[in-house]
Amino acid sequence: MKWSDGRYHTADTEDISGKDPDRFIPRSYSIASSSKTREYIEFYIGLVRLGSLSPRLFHLKPEDRVYLSEKPLGMLSLDAVPAEFNVVLIATGTGVAPYMSMIRTEISGGLNRRFAVIHGARHSSDLDYHSELMLLDSIS
Ligand SMILES: Cc1cc2nc3c(=O)[nH]c(=O)nc-3n(C[C@H](O)[C@H](O)[C@H](O)COP(=O)(O)OP(=O)(O)OC[C@H]3O[C@@H](n4cnc5c(N)ncnc54)[C@H](O)[C@@H]3O)c2cc1C
């Protein structure tokens, strides 16, 4: 990724003097897609206008390449929650991403527990998974 032209158009400009244009910028992102989905990986990423990496991710075009570490890391999991327990998931902004993965994974696995999702955001238009969650609620 090049520093000079790699930022999304609404991102703030960046002082690139003295910086390596090809510097590797590692960041963590939660997977939003089901852990059983093999065809693609979905991420739910917010633009941090002053950020180093996210303005570049928003500027990616089809067939651009990004590096993903080989092994996903993290401890956030429902594995230790008994299958008969219902679950309340609370998140703001992009923090809902791992919860979407959990819900999608459990639904495709046929488990019967119930989820309540409390998702906060500054604007209702930022509740990007609202329609999907409402649909899942209506068919459950
Ligand atoms: C375990 C884990 C999972 C994550 N999952 C996601 C995810 O699913 N989706 C996602 O969008 N991000 C996620 N993040 C945050 C992500 O790793 C980056 O921090 C974020 O994208 C900003 O990176 P950047 O390089 O653009 O900004 P940076 O250059 O790292 O930050 C620039 C400035 O912006 C501030 N800043 C950083 N993030 C925010 C923010 N969200 N709002 C306001 N100011 C901020 C920083 O403190 C810093 O001052 C996760 C982080 C962790 C640790």
Side-chain angles (χ1 to χ4, degrees), residues 27-30 44-46 48 51-55 94 97:
R27 292 290 182 271
S28 303
Y29 291 100
S30 302
Y44 181 39
I45 298 176
V48 175
S52 297
L53 183 66
S54 60
T94 58

Side-chain angles (χ1 to χ4, degrees), residues 28-90:
S28 303
Y29 291 100
S30 302
I31 293 174
S33 43
S34 164
S35 61
K36 296 186 174 154
T37 300
R38 293 288 174 265
E39 297 79 18
Y40 61 88
I41 302 175
E42 179 179 315
F43 295 101
Y44 181 39
I45 298 176
L47 172 67
V48 175
R49 287 167 49 92
L50 279 166
S52 297
L53 183 66
S54 60
R56 290 171 172 77
L57 295 178
F58 274 70
H59 202 247
L60 288 174
K61 293 182 268 316
E63 300 189 18
D64 281 351
R65 301 175 71 183
V66 293
Y67 173 82
L68 262 67
S69 61
E70 284 177 28
K71 190 169 162 37
L73 300 172
M75 307 284 289
L76 189 58
S77 161
L78 290 178
D79 288 353
V81 181
E84 69 275 17
F85 278 29
N86 296 327
V87 178
V88 179
L89 303 167
I90 304 173

Side-chain angles (χ1 to χ4, degrees), residues 75-138:
M75 307 284 289
L76 189 58
S77 161
L78 290 178
D79 288 353
V81 181
E84 69 275 17
F85 278 29
N86 296 327
V87 178
V88 179
L89 303 167
I90 304 173
T92 59
T94 58
V96 79
Y99 298 157
M100 292 308 300
S101 178
M102 290 175 183
I103 294 167
R104 290 162 164 173
T105 303
E106 294 243 346
I107 284 175
S108 62
L111 280 183
N112 287 325
R113 78 163 104 238
R114 293 187 66 82
F115 290 96
V117 180
I118 301 172
H119 186 199
R122 192 170 301 172
H123 307 288
S124 57
S125 58
D126 293 331
L127 299 172
D128 293 294
Y129 289 109
H130 182 252
S131 299
E132 180 175 340
L133 290 169
M134 294 304 286
L135 180 68
L136 291 172
D137 185 46
S138 70

Side-chain angles (χ1 to χ4, degrees), residues 9-24:
H9 66 92
T10 65
D12 291 347
T13 53
E14 179 183 34
D15 179 11
I16 59 168
S17 54
K19 290 183 177 168
D20 175 2
D22 294 320
R23 185 167 67 97
F24 181 62

